[in-house]
Amino acid sequence: MEYKFVIIDHALEIYVGAIALIFTILGIWLALKLNKPKLQTVLVEKEIYIQKQEPGFVPDDAMLLKMGISKREWEVLSLMSQGFSNQEIANQLFLSLNTVKTHGSNLFFKLEVKRRTQAIEKGKRLGLIG
Amino acid sequence: MEYKFVIIDHALEIYVGAIALIFTILGIWLALKLNKPKLQTVLVEKEIYIQKQEPGFVPDDAMLLKMGISKREWEVLSLMSQGFSNQEIANQLFLSLNTVKTHGSNLFFKLEVKRRTQAIEKGKRLGLIG
DNA sequence: GGTAAAATCACCCAAAAGTATGAGTGATAA
DNA sequence: TTATCACTCATACTTTTGGGTGATTTTACC
């Protein structure tokens, strides 16, 4: 009952309000529609640090031979030094994760180190990687 | 009373025992003394590859500032690049393992990398470490 | 053809690394 | 005084690494 009266008493106001709302929305819609082609290009600068990879680096074959490091082991070491995980190395060389681990273990043994970071450090010192 | 009788009754045995003990010890001491020069010196040649560490390397302060890397974070990065484990770094810097991990995580975030090996690689490229 | 080294992969287990979150302190700047 | 920041540390959890072992398959060479 009470709601009914309210509605009847303020029918006009409600009506006006509804119209206002509708046209407000219409206005917004129009504005958006018309503004669409006003595409603005925002330039975002993203600094990329290019790898200053030794351009003409050549691994020390004599040292590789001396340490008894095989081709595959060297490849793994090289990728490790570039920050790749074992899984990523496996993907790149089309090997299983286990194989990469095996190469890694053999590598560590031959280089007499315990961790990949040490292997990288020693590999660079010995001129095995660039 | 009883103890007294025991001592008197076996005075001789006790005396002999004491002598035996003393000379046993003397014998042992002598043997050790005479055996000392038996030490043999073995010379083992071990090849050491000296780190061709940049002699006068200076971290790029501007880059450090740019990347927002703090002193502690830089220290951790530097030790990481030398092949130390988090635990070893913690010991050297008198920090807890967890603190080193925290510094590491913040470092990786700032360098936009996911692993210590990548952090090392990027750190070198940016001239943060030698 | 036999043999040795290299390469491949599996499985299991343990250790190290890394993530997420919260929190306390001291120094310093607004 | 509040706000910020570097530094410290903790707990809990997930992922990655590394060690050990064993096995099969290439590859290269005599």
Side-chain angles (χ1 to χ4, degrees):
Chain A
M1 284 296 114
E2 291 176 7
Y3 292 113
K4 212 169 192 175
F5 283 133
V6 170
I7 292 170
I8 291 172
D9 281 1
H10 301 85
L12 183 61
E13 285 91 332
I14 292 174
Y15 181 67
V16 171
I19 296 294
L21 183 62
I22 289 169
F23 276 86
T24 302
I25 292 172
L26 176 64
I28 292 172
W29 177 78
L30 264 179
L32 289 179
K33 195 80 176 178
L34 294 178
N35 262 338
K36 220 172 217 168
K38 243 182 188 171
L39 264 187
Q40 193 175 358
T41 320
V42 179
L43 271 183
V44 177
E45 281 190 38
K46 165 93 178 153
E47 299 185 49
I48 306 284
Y49 300 101
I50 295 142
Q51 183 149 4
K52 63 159 187 265
Q53 187 83 291
E54 326 290 306
F57 174 77
V58 187
D60 185 339
D61 283 344
M63 188 57 82
L64 281 172
L65 200 64
K66 183 174 183 175
M67 306 302 278
I69 292 171
S70 72
K71 194 173 94 247
R72 262 326 200 197
E73 286 160 359
W74 178 83
E75 290 179 302
V76 169
L77 173 61
S78 179
L79 291 173
M80 278 181 172
S81 79
Q82 287 167 56
F84 293 108
S85 69
N86 285 338
Q87 185 58 66
E88 288 167 344
I89 294 172
N91 297 147
Q92 287 188 47
L93 299 182
F94 302 101
L95 296 177
S96 82
L97 174 59
N98 287 317
T99 302
V100 174
K101 286 194 196 176
T102 300
H103 287 317
S105 287
N106 294 334
L107 193 57
F108 297 161
F109 175 75
K110 291 175 180 175
L111 286 179
E112 299 175 307
V113 297
K114 294 234 157 289
R115 280 181 286 281
R116 62 191 21 237
T117 45
Q118 291 180 337
I120 294 167
E121 198 268 339
K122 188 152 190 178
K124 295 209 174 197
R125 245 174 37 222
L126 299 187
L128 306 181
I129 50 180
Chain B
M1 284 295 112
E2 291 176 7
Y3 291 112
K4 212 169 190 175
F5 284 134
V6 169
I7 292 172
I8 291 172
D9 280 0
H10 301 84
L12 182 63
E13 285 91 333
I14 290 175
Y15 182 68
V16 172
I19 297 295
L21 183 59
I22 290 170
F23 277 85
T24 303
I25 292 173
L26 176 66
I28 292 173
W29 176 78
L30 265 178
L32 291 180
K33 195 82 177 176
L34 293 177
N35 263 337
K36 222 172 221 168
K38 222 180 187 177
L39 275 183
Q40 190 180 357
T41 319
V42 180
L43 243 185
V44 178
E45 284 189 35
K46 167 121 178 119
E47 298 182 52
I48 305 281
Y49 299 100
I50 295 143
Q51 183 152 6
K52 59 164 187 264
Q53 185 88 288
E54 327 288 305
F57 174 78
V58 186
D60 186 339
D61 284 345
M63 188 56 83
L64 280 172
L65 198 65
K66 185 171 185 175
M67 306 302 278
I69 292 170
S70 73
K71 193 174 93 248
R72 256 339 196 190
E73 286 160 358
W74 179 83
E75 290 179 303
V76 169
L77 173 61
S78 179
L79 291 173
M80 278 180 173
S81 80
Q82 288 167 56
F84 293 109
S85 69
N86 284 337
Q87 187 58 65
E88 288 167 343
I89 294 172
N91 296 147
Q92 288 187 45
L93 298 182
F94 302 101
L95 296 178
S96 83
L97 175 59
N98 287 317
T99 303
V100 174
K101 285 186 183 184
T102 299
H103 286 317
S105 286
N106 294 334
L107 189 59
F108 298 161
F109 175 75
K110 290 175 181 176
L111 286 178
E112 299 174 303
V113 297
K114 293 235 157 287
R115 280 179 286 280
R116 69 216 275 110
T117 45
Q118 291 180 339
I120 293 167
E121 197 268 339
K122 189 152 189 178
K124 295 211 174 194
R125 247 174 33 221
L126 300 187
L128 306 180
I129 50 181

